[in-house]
Amino acid sequence: MAYLIFARDGTSCIVLKRDSRDGAEKKARELRELGWFDVQIQEAAPARAKSDSPIKDSDGN
């Protein structure tokens, strides 16, 4: 399972990805120590399966 870490500082927002909960928690803790705020960890949504049908534009091509 992948985890996303969201964080903000005064001027920017970042999203980082970690493969384990422990890794995500460690990075979140490091970001807080560096002054980032609104640090949140969220499970990444599972990837969607690719469709076999190609996407067509408005002309049908």
Side-chain angles (χ1 to χ4, degrees):
M1 171 77 46
Y3 295 88
L4 301 175
I5 304 127
F6 298 88
R8 294 186 323 131
D9 70 359
T11 60
S12 59
C13 179
I14 60 170
V15 180
L16 304 173
K17 180 179 174 185
R18 294 294 181 268
D19 292 328
S20 70
R21 181 74 186 185
D22 288 340
E25 289 175 357
K26 179 181 176 190
K27 179 52 72 175
R29 188 171 41 254
E30 291 169 354
L31 289 169
R32 286 186 193 101
E33 290 170 359
L34 290 171
W36 291 81
F37 55 92
D38 289 342
V39 179
Q40 300 177 17
I41 300 172
Q42 188 175 33
E43 286 185 15
R48 293 184 180 186
K50 292 184 179 180
S51 173
D52 291 335
S53 62
I55 297 174
K56 299 189 185 255
D57 61 20
S58 60
D59 295 333
N61 295 323

